[in-house]
Amino acid sequence: MSWEVVIGLEVHCQINTKTKAFCGCSTAFGAEPNTQTCPVCLGMPGQLPVLNAVAVDKTILTGLAIYADINLESKFDRKNYFYPDLPKGYQITQFTVPLVEHGHIDIVTKSRGAKRIGVTRIHMEEDAGKSMHEGLDAVSHIDLNRSGIPLMEIVSEPDMRSSDEAIAYLKNLHQVIRFLGVSGADMEKGQFRCDANVSVRRPGEPFGTRTEMKNMNSFRFIKQAIDYEVVRQIEVIEDGGAVIQESRLWDSVKNESRSMRTKEEANDYRYFPEPDLPPLRVSQLEVDNIKAGMPELPHQLHARFEAEFGLSAYDADVLTQTRELSGWYEALVAAHPADPKRCANWMANELLGRLKEMNKDLAHCPISAQAFAQLLDRMADSTISGKTAKDVLDAMMETGVSADDFIEAKGLKQVSDSGEIDAMIQAIMDANPNQLAAYRGGKEKLFGFFVGQVMKASKGQANPAMVNQRLKELLKAS
Amino acid sequence: MPFSSLSEIKTRLDCGETTAVEVAQLYLDRIAAHNEQLNAFVHLDADHVLGQAQASDAYRAAHGVHGARALEGLPIAIKDIFCTQDGPTQCCSNILKDFHAPYDAHVITKLKEAGAVLVGKTNMDEFAMGSSTETSAFGVCRNPWNTDRIPGGSSGGSASAVAAALTPAALGTDTGGSIRQPASLTGITGMKPTYGRVSRRGIIAFASSLDQAGPMTRTVKDAAMLTAAIEGHDPLDSTTVADAPQLDWLKACEQRNMQGMKIGVPKEYFVEGMDAEVRASVEEALKQCEALGAELVDISLPNTDLAVAAYYVIAPSEASANLSRYDSVRFGHRCENPEDLLDMYTRSRDEGFGSEVKRRILTGAFALSSGYYDAYYLKAQQVRTLIQQDFTQAFEKVDVIATPTSPVTAFKIGEKTDDPLTMYLSDIYTIAVNLAGLPGLSQPCGLAQGLPVGLQWIAPAWREDVLLGTASAYEAATDWHKQVPAAFNEISGGKA
Ligand SMILES: [Zn+2]
C-alpha cells in the first residue's frame, strides 16, 4: 500500500522597508554589529513600538497578489520566550487576527499537473537578532541589527503532496514577491526562509503526526530535507514505530536532519494582545488604492506574452521569471515592434546566454534594449545575416559599441545589389568552365560549390538568399 | 512658603519676589532636613537642581515675565519610574540598580520645555507593584502625618514629598490607584488622566494597558497646571490619542460651579469593610456638595466587586511580559559567574527582583499559560468590558461620580506586608477607573484620627474638565487641602 505525503509550508519573508518594523533604525544589510539599533529595538525600559506603515502596505499588496482577504482590523500579540537575541523577551507578531487570510497560489508540476495551494494567512511580525557562538571561547556575542526587521510570515494549507509541489509553490511565491518588490527575497541573506511541516499517511486516512523542518534557505535544501524526512517517517512507521511531533534541523553538510526539540520541550509562548499597539485598522479605500497600484503578476504577464506576442510557453516562461526580464523584453519589443518572436528568441538565447557567460545579470547588461533592437533591425532589413549578427553582438557586449557603428567600421554590410551579385556569379562561372559544364550536364550537387565560391569571393557579405536565387537562374541559362 | 501651591510660587516668581534658585534652595534644605526620616527621595543631586534653577532664572531674565514658560522655575519631583538622562532611573528595584537611561521620558522632555526644575527621584514600590511603598528596594517610605505609617503606593515617595512640602508638586504614575491612593493617604491632590491622554514613552512599563502618568499636588489648580504641561499626543506612543478632545485646563478649574451638577454615588462603594470614619468624612463631603447646589444620585456599578480580581489577572499578565527584558543581557543586574544561559537568567532575576514583583510575574505567566488563558486572562478581559459598560450606563444619568478613594486611612508599616490579598484590597475603589480607562482625581476631604481621608471623583473619558471643575468647587468651599502635617510645619528659618 502506498504512502501519501502531506506538506504545509511557513515562509518568513523580510519586507523591504528602509526602516525597521517598530522603530526608525535602518534595515541595510551587512553593517557592523549593533550599529543599526536604538532604545526601541534594544528593548530598553519604557520604549514603545510604532508600526511601520510601509510594511503594512507591502503585506497588503502581497495578500492581494495571492487573491487573499485583507482584514480591515487586525491585531498584534506578544509571543513570549527568553533568548538573548530577543531583547524584549517577547516578539511582536499577529497571532489571533492576521492582516491577510485565505489566499491561494496556483502551481504546475510535471508529475502532478496544475493545482491550487491554499494560503492560510500572512501575518506581520518582527525578526530577532543574531547570536554568534562559533569561534568565541565560552562566550556568545549578539548582533541586534536584525532585531525588529519587519517580516511577513506566509503560512500555507497542508495542500502539497510531494517535494516537487512544495518547491513549485515556493518558487511561485518567491517569484510573486520579487515581482511585487515587497522583498529582496534573497535566500542567502536570509530574506526568504522556509519551515516545512511534513507528515505521511495512507491515502484517505487522517493526517499523520507531523514534524517541522526549521529554517531552510535554499530550494535544494528544502527539497532534500523533505525527501529525507518522508523516507525517515515511512521507515519509522513501517518498523512499527510512531512519528513524534518535533522540530528538526536540516544539516546540509551531512545531508540529514536531527531533532531540535520535541513537543514536550516546546515553549509555551503565552500569547496575549500587545497592549502597546492599538488594533491595526485599514480602510477599504486604502486597500483599493494599493490594489490599483499593483504591478502585472508573473502569470498575467505570461498569458499576455503568449497572446499578444505569440510567444511559446517556454519563451514566455523564461521572460517572466523576473520583473527586470519582462520589462527589458517589453522595451525591446517597443523598439523592434515588427517581430516580437525574433525579440524573444534573440533575447532568450543570444543575449541571456552571453550574460550568463559573462556572469552578469540583466541589471548590469552592457547594452540597452534599444541598442539590441538596432541589431535586430539590421537583420530584418538584410543589412547583415544572422550569422554576422552574432559576431556583432559579441562585439557590442564586449565594448558597448552600437550595431550600426560596428557594421560600418568593419564593412560587414551585406551585398544585396542584384547587379553586383550577378557580376560576381558571372566571374565565378567564367573561372570554372569545367564545373559549369558538369552542372549543366546534370551534376546538380555542384550547386553548393558555386554558392561557396560566390560567398568566398564576397568575403561572406553577399546576401545568401539572393546568391541562391540568382545562381539558380544564371547556371541554368546557356 | 514651603506649603505654598505651585501657582502661588509662580505668582511670586512672576512678581520678582523670589527666584527659582531661592525656591530650589528652600526645598533642597527641607529635603536635607527631613528626607532621612521620610525616605521620600531615593536620588537627589542638589547641584544639578540648582543648575536648572539658575538656568530658569536666566531664561526669565532674558525673556521677561511674559516670556516665562508655563512651569518656569517650579520644582517638580519625579517618581523613579520615569526615565531621565540625568541621574539614575532604577524603578526602586535592584535589577535596575545604577541604571542610567540614555533618554528622557516624553513627559520629562515636556516638563523641561515648560521650564520646570526637576527635583530628584522619589521612592516607590518596586516596579510600581504595591500600595504602600514597602516593596521598594531602597527602603520603606514614611507618611509625614504619622511616620509609623505608610504613605500609600506605589507613588508613595511623591506623595510623602508633596505632603511634607519637600517639593510643591510631583509626578506619579497610576496603574490601579498608584497616584490617587497615596494622595488620599497623605492629604494631597492627585489625578490620573484618561488613558491615552499622557504619553507613556520612557515610563518604565508595569501594565501597559493601565499605566498613566499624572500630577500629585497641593491644589486642584496645580494638578491642572501640571497636567496641561505633560499631556498631549505623542506620535511615538501609539496608545496616545491624536484627536483627543483638547481642554482648557486652567479654565476648567475656574468654572467651579456645583449648581445643578448631578453627582452619582455608587452604592457598591459604600459597603462593609470600609473604615467608619472614612465613610463619615466622605458622606459629609457629599452633603457639602449638595449644599453647594449639586444633586446626589444613587447609582449602581454592579460589577465593582469583580474589579480587583480582573485587575490582578490583567496587570500581572502584562507585567510578566514587560519585565522579561530585565534578563541581564544588555543592562541591569547580572549574577556573578553564571554557569550557563539558564543560570544567568534565573540567578540574575532571582537576585534582582523582590518578592512582590516575583509573585506578580508568576501570577501573570500562569494566567497566560496554555490551558489557563481562557479561564483567567480572557475572563478578566470580559470583566473589564463589563466594568466599562457599568460606567457608560452610569454616565447616562450623572455628570460625575464620587466615591471614597481608599476604604481606610494610612495603615501601619508592616501591617499588611504578610497578607498580599488584604494589601490588594487597598485599591478596591481606584482599580475600576484604570480598567475603564477613565480619569479620576483624589482630593482631601477630612481627617480621621489625625490621618487624611480622600474623596475620589470619576468622570467620563476625556472629561478631566469635569473632574477639575467639580474638585475646584469643593476645594473652594473647604480647607482640607490646607491641612498640613504639623511635625513638618516648623517655622522656617529661610526667607519664606
Ligand atoms: Zn531601532
Side-chain angles (χ1 to χ4, degrees), chain A residues 42 44-46 78 87 268, chain B residues 103 200 202 322 325 330 345 370:
Chain A
L42 291 175
M44 301 286 277
R78 291 183 181 178
D268 177 356
Chain B
Y103 42 83
R200 293 182 296 113
N322 281 333
R325 67 189 61 201
R330 287 145 296 124
Y345 280 154
S370 110

Side-chain angles (χ1 to χ4, degrees), chain A residues 315-476:
Chain A
D315 281 348
D317 220 35
V318 170
L319 296 174
T320 56
Q321 280 307 304
T322 67
R323 201 147 72 161
E324 291 72 31
L325 275 169
S326 64
W328 215 94
Y329 172 69
E330 293 211 78
L332 181 60
V333 172
H336 184 79
D339 196 344
K341 277 169 105 170
R342 187 205 299 270
C343 292
N345 285 335
W346 274 76
M347 181 173 163
N349 299 320
E350 303 303 329
L351 184 85
L352 296 181
R354 280 169 177 73
L355 280 175
K356 200 174 176 188
E357 279 166 26
M358 296 165 80
N359 239 333
K360 281 187 173 170
D361 56 27
L362 200 55
H364 298 95
C365 182
I367 63 169
S368 67
Q370 288 72 24
F372 193 52
Q374 194 180 63
L375 179 70
L376 303 188
D377 288 344
R378 293 298 87 82
M379 268 189 282
D381 65 15
S382 299
T383 306
I384 53 171
S385 66
K387 188 174 171 298
T388 307
K390 291 178 187 177
D391 298 336
V392 176
L393 182 58
D394 285 336
M396 291 167 72
M397 296 295 280
E398 202 171 305
T399 65
V401 67
S402 81
D404 281 351
D405 288 353
F406 190 75
I407 292 165
E408 182 68 35
K410 296 282 175 186
L412 297 178
K413 199 170 169 177
Q414 210 166 237
V415 177
S416 302
D417 181 293
S418 57
E420 224 175 294
I421 287 173
D422 285 1
M424 278 192 275
I425 291 171
Q426 195 56 57
I428 296 295
M429 288 196 300
D430 293 348
N432 299 284
N434 296 342
Q435 280 84 347
L436 182 63
Y439 178 83
R440 285 183 175 160
K443 218 175 171 189
E444 292 191 3
K445 270 186 180 172
L446 281 167
F447 186 73
F449 163 78
F450 287 104
V451 172
Q453 290 297 308
V454 174
M455 292 310 286
K456 197 176 165 190
S458 76
K459 297 193 181 94
Q461 289 174 30
N463 182 328
M466 287 185 72
V467 170
N468 269 323
Q469 193 208 332
R470 293 305 302 155
L471 259 177
K472 273 182 187 157
E473 285 175 26
L474 294 171
L475 286 174
K476 266 184 215 157

Side-chain angles (χ1 to χ4, degrees), chain A residues 107-118:
Chain A
I107 61 165
V108 182
T109 53
K110 278 203 188 93
S111 48
R112 308 172 76 96
K115 187 166 173 181
R116 174 159 291 183
I117 308 295

